[in-house]
Amino acid sequence: MTEGKAPTQIGDGIWAFLWEPGGWGQTNTGLLVDPGSASMVIDTVWDVDRAERTAAETAALVRDAPITEVVNTHSDGDHWWGNDTVPADARITTSSASLHAMKEETPPSGVHAFASLGALVGWVPGPVGAMGGYMDRVRGGATFPRKTPRMPDHTFDVTETIAVGGRDVHLRYLGPAHTVGDLIAHVPDAGVVFTGDLLFIGSTPILWHGPLGNWIDALDHLLSLDARLYVPGHGPVCGTAEISALRDYWTWVDAAGREHFDAGVDAPHAARNMMRSKEFEQFSVWDSPERLVLSMSTLYRLWEGKPAAPPTIARRARAFAGAGALLRE
């Protein structure tokens, strides 16, 4: 698994722990410090070793400002399975929708078993091997916690302002989109926004929940903030130009994908055709371009009139089989 950088200071009392290139499980986290007062952690990572290393690096930056607040931007394990490394007396906040999803998600032990089985069958020809090999790729060498980590103990529905010492952090729920509970954390005095997985920069995004229109609306909201810097869930910090490029990607996926759906082309073949198109060339340099298959599986489900919903293990397995098969071609 690729090593991350040392903490990068991106504003007055604000650090980003960037893990590039931003592939599977390579999650960015953040830290806000009001010297002499208090601190906030934004997201934790699922790999045990990296979570502990990040906690040690954080401790060096908060010696005179204890961590009192933690925010989890959504329910994917790579953004909260490191919660046991934050101080036990720190309050952990997420959206109400996100907490519900966390309680319903497969626990770390289950994902570990799924990935370990995948590693064993990854060599098998056909869909089973393709799924197994891709699930092992998703784990990427990470060591998951042995038990379900501490869950958030505070939630909000739409907006919440949290005081970190003398600094305000504005939380806003913008989901459902990538997941059911996506939120952002805006630090207005620094012009910095932590976006969770509403932004993948230089890394192909995944629509697990939808609807896609909500994600595009969320990107428009991020653009309206006109912040100095945005910290994505995966990839390097960015400005508004990169957000616009992601918006262009989703707009194209929506139109091209629907055209294939209306023509009766199944989701895996639609993704293959789209990835071979001239329009895809500008996005082909992003990490893990085959993730388009995963998003198409969700979009087809929605276009078939099924309700937006978190992915079950069976849905993920089918999507991983499609992505794995694409990589084998």
Side-chain angles (χ1 to χ4, degrees), residues 40-52:
M40 169 186 280
V41 167
I42 301 165
D43 278 339
T44 62
V45 298
W46 68 3
D47 178 64
V48 171
D49 292 340
R50 183 169 178 83
E52 292 175 349

Side-chain angles (χ1 to χ4, degrees), residues 54-211:
T54 300
E57 292 170 334
T58 298
L61 298 170
V62 300
R63 288 194 178 98
D64 66 342
I67 297 168
T68 58
E69 302 284 350
V70 179
V71 172
N72 295 145
T73 58
H74 62 288
S75 58
D76 282 350
D78 57 334
H79 290 259
W80 71 277
W81 283 0
N83 280 0
D84 286 344
T85 62
V86 303
D89 58 351
R91 184 177 69 162
I92 305 179
T93 298
T94 194
S95 69
S96 300
S98 176
L99 179 60
H100 178 75
M102 288 174 176
K103 293 177 179 179
E104 297 296 319
E105 278 282 350
T106 306
S109 59
V111 176
H112 170 73
F114 190 26
S116 297
L117 175 63
L120 292 174
V121 302
W123 60 272
V124 176
V128 171
M131 179 276 294
Y134 201 78
M135 184 60 217
D136 190 43
R137 179 188 185 94
V138 169
R139 177 171 56 179
T143 300
F144 298 145
R146 297 192 177 193
K147 61 182 181 66
T148 300
R150 176 185 167 196
M151 291 192 179
D153 43 43
H154 177 67
T155 62
F156 68 97
D157 292 330
V158 181
T159 62
E160 178 99 338
T161 297
I162 296 179
V164 182
R167 309 182 74 173
D168 284 343
V169 179
H170 299 319
L171 307 182
R172 178 175 287 273
Y173 169 60
L174 293 177
H178 168 67
T179 66
V180 69
D182 305 305
L183 69 89
I184 62 170
H186 181 200
V187 190
D189 68 40
V192 172
V193 183
F194 291 88
T195 73
D197 283 0
L198 288 170
L199 288 186
F200 288 69
I201 301 301
S203 181
T204 305
I206 307 166
L207 182 73
W208 280 128
H209 193 282

Side-chain angles (χ1 to χ4, degrees), residues 293-319:
V293 178
L294 312 181
S295 296
M296 290 300 293
S297 69
T298 300
L299 284 171
Y300 265 56
R301 185 177 182 277
L302 296 174
W303 289 332
E304 289 165 359
K306 297 173 183 174
T312 61
I313 287 183
R315 275 181 58 195
R316 290 188 195 267
R318 287 192 296 270

Side-chain angles (χ1 to χ4, degrees), residues 12 18 20 24 41 89 91 123 140-141 153 161 166 177 180 218 255 258 283 286 290 293 319 321 328:
D12 183 19
L18 302 173
E20 296 180 21
W24 285 106
V41 167
D89 58 351
R91 184 177 69 162
W123 60 272
D153 43 43
T161 297
V180 69
R258 184 67 198 224
F283 310 119
W286 292 356
E290 79 286 345
V293 178
R328 289 183 170 189

